[in-house]
Amino acid sequence: MFKKYRILKWSIISFLGIVLSLFIFGWWFMNLLPSAENRTDVTITKVSDLPYLSKDVLSKRGKILAIVTSTAKMGNTDKSTGYELTELSRAYYVFQANGFEVDIASPLGGEPPVVIDDEDMGPYDFAFLNDSLAQYKAKHTIPVKDVNPALYEAVFFAGGKGAMFDFPENTSIQLIVKKMYQSNKVIGAVCHGPAALVNVTLDTGRPLLENKNVSGFTNDEELLLISDAKNIFPFLLQDELEDQGGIFNEGTMYLENISQENNLVTGQNPWSTWKLAETMITQLGYALKYREITAEENAVKVLKVYEAEGSHKAKELMKQMVSIDNKPMERILIAKHGIIAAMQGKIGKFFSLVGLTSYAKNISKDL
């Protein structure tokens, strides 16, 4: 009896020790992140606050069409969806800053559903919410059946899981893509946006995607967050792009990655939006207007070096950026990638990225 009691006693002590250790680690981990009081309130950002948009305004060069989903639910589930605001807002302002007027369309027209993830929002995204003209266009979208492709120099398909349901079979979208592509205009699509390309057949009778390098939201990215995605979506985007003859370019999960085949530019995920939109501008034949790189983009650069060359090189780059060049660094994103590693069961990588997050805090001057 006493032996059983001792075993029970030590089991309880061990359990409490584990709980206490997890609590201490969690407290330490949370302290690696910027505190709310030390973060600038970007929710009130206006276009006039952003020099990229308000200074040295370029004369108009033409128009670009952005297309977003009209789908509010994922298939037969009660899971809400829509277009990703960050993917529309960032592309919208790259196009605008570089001299293009932007129209917004959707399969049904009117006000489409939107996904706003507060954790991913930055100054440009809140500026979009505070921009009366941008909001009018976003809430009064043009039905794609009414779009005249001849009016536009390029078309951009924003992502959002809803695109998987109402982009692929839409004949008006297929016609827009085909006409613009065959007129040597620029086609761009990011994250789930490339779902618009999967059923496009050119006048040659061949699929648009055949033998072309292409990127989009990967199977691994999809299934990590939605384990039953195969049952919810009509297809997994990576599989379908490959089935259409595309040569799928798979980059690191949740990091910037784009593919370009002449006037066809595609991006893997939301973090690819800036580069994709700017690549569209250069493909149109224009030099890019200078834009200060965001703190999130700097974190992405560090994470890409980490994935390719390890923690030591990532720290070297981070020190150069933050301590020497005084560039902003969004260390929350680095911490998130640590959590992703833990979700994948990569515990060593998790602790390595926690260490990288800690290093980022130690060299930061603002926190």
Side-chain angles (χ1 to χ4, degrees):
M1 180 176 178
F2 289 108
K3 184 177 180 180
K4 290 182 179 179
Y5 172 75
R6 285 197 301 270
I7 293 172
L8 177 61
K9 176 183 176 181
W10 286 110
S11 296
I12 292 172
I13 291 173
S14 297
F15 173 76
L16 291 175
I18 292 171
V19 171
L20 180 60
S21 297
L22 289 173
F23 175 79
I24 293 171
F25 178 79
W27 175 84
W28 176 76
F29 181 78
M30 292 305 296
N31 273 275
L32 295 179
L33 307 180
S35 58
E37 60 267 24
N38 288 331
R39 292 177 67 84
T40 303
D41 182 9
V42 296
T43 64
I44 59 175
T45 305
K46 298 179 180 179
V47 168
S48 58
D49 299 323
L50 301 169
Y52 179 57
L53 302 174
S54 60
K55 305 295 184 183
D56 303 318
V57 177
L58 299 175
S59 57
K60 288 293 179 284
R61 291 167 164 169
K63 299 177 74 175
I64 292 177
L65 179 68
I67 299 181
V68 300
T69 180
S70 295
T71 298
K73 296 290 182 182
M74 296 186 205
N76 296 321
T77 74
D78 60 356
K79 296 179 180 180
S80 62
T81 187
Y83 71 88
E84 293 285 343
L85 182 128
T86 60
E87 294 172 25
L88 175 63
S89 57
R90 297 171 188 186
Y92 181 97
Y93 283 137
V94 167
F95 300 151
Q96 180 176 296
N98 284 278
F100 289 88
E101 180 183 349
V102 185
D103 286 341
I104 305 174
S106 67
L108 298 180
E111 184 173 359
V114 57
V115 175
I116 300 177
D117 189 338
D118 289 341
E119 291 185 354
D120 294 332
M121 296 281 285
Y124 287 90
D125 312 308
F126 284 110
F128 188 84
L129 291 179
N130 297 325
D131 183 337
S132 59
L133 177 58
Q135 284 302 292
Y136 181 85
K137 290 182 177 184
K139 294 179 179 180
H140 299 80
T141 62
I142 305 165
V144 291
K145 65 180 179 61
D146 296 337
V147 167
N148 178 1
L151 299 178
Y152 303 98
E153 302 305 311
V155 61
F156 166 75
F157 292 94
K161 298 183 189 299
M164 296 286 285
F165 298 95
D166 61 2
F167 279 7
E169 304 296 335
N170 190 292
T171 55
S172 296
I173 286 178
Q174 293 167 17
L175 186 62
I176 291 168
V177 173
K178 183 176 78 167
K179 284 188 173 181
M180 295 185 72
Y181 182 81
Q182 292 182 160
S183 298
N184 205 34
K185 295 183 177 182
V186 176
I187 314 295
V190 71
C191 200
H192 290 89
L197 312 175
V198 300
N199 289 322
V200 176
T201 302
L202 303 177
D203 286 342
T204 59
R206 308 306 302 172
L208 166 69
L209 292 169
E210 187 174 57
N211 296 322
K212 293 185 177 67
N213 289 301
V214 62
S215 293
F217 210 58
T218 68
N219 289 354
D220 286 344
E221 288 171 322
E222 197 77 86
L223 293 169
L224 182 67
L225 301 179
I226 305 179
S227 59
D228 58 344
K230 291 181 180 179
N231 299 322
I232 294 176
F233 298 115
F235 50 78
L236 293 181
L237 184 57
Q238 178 178 344
D239 290 346
E240 191 67 17
L241 294 172
E242 290 175 334
D243 288 347
Q244 291 282 320
I247 303 168
F248 194 80
N249 171 20
E250 181 174 0
T252 304
M253 291 177 68
Y254 310 118
L255 290 180
E256 173 196 282
N257 180 47
I258 72 164
S259 296
Q260 182 177 9
E261 280 278 346
N262 298 317
N263 59 325
L264 177 65
V265 189
T266 50
Q268 182 169 319
N269 48 42
W271 296 273
S272 308
T273 304
W274 289 113
K275 185 174 182 180
L276 181 138
E278 292 182 332
T279 301
M280 290 177 66
I281 296 298
T282 57
Q283 182 61 28
L284 284 166
Y286 297 99
L288 290 171
K289 182 179 180 180
Y290 172 77
R291 176 179 65 83
E292 186 172 340
I293 300 303
T294 66
E296 181 185 78
E297 289 175 280
N298 285 328
V300 167
K301 289 181 179 179
V302 168
L303 284 165
K304 291 185 79 171
V305 168
Y306 170 83
E307 293 288 345
E309 303 180 62
S311 180
H312 179 70
K313 288 293 185 181
K315 288 179 179 179
E316 285 184 354
L317 175 60
M318 190 184 294
K319 185 176 181 180
Q320 176 69 40
M321 284 182 172
V322 177
S323 299
I324 300 175
D325 297 336
N326 201 30
K327 292 181 179 179
M329 177 69 59
E330 182 57 89
R331 66 176 181 270
I332 289 177
L333 184 60
I334 298 172
K336 285 181 179 179
H337 275 258
I339 294 171
I340 290 168
M343 291 171 65
Q344 296 175 295
K346 300 177 180 179
I347 304 304
K349 185 176 181 180
F350 165 71
F351 282 107
S352 177
L353 285 165
V354 168
L356 197 60
T357 306
S358 178
Y359 183 79
K361 179 178 181 179
N362 291 337
I363 64 172
S364 294
K365 299 175 180 179
D366 56 334
L367 296 175

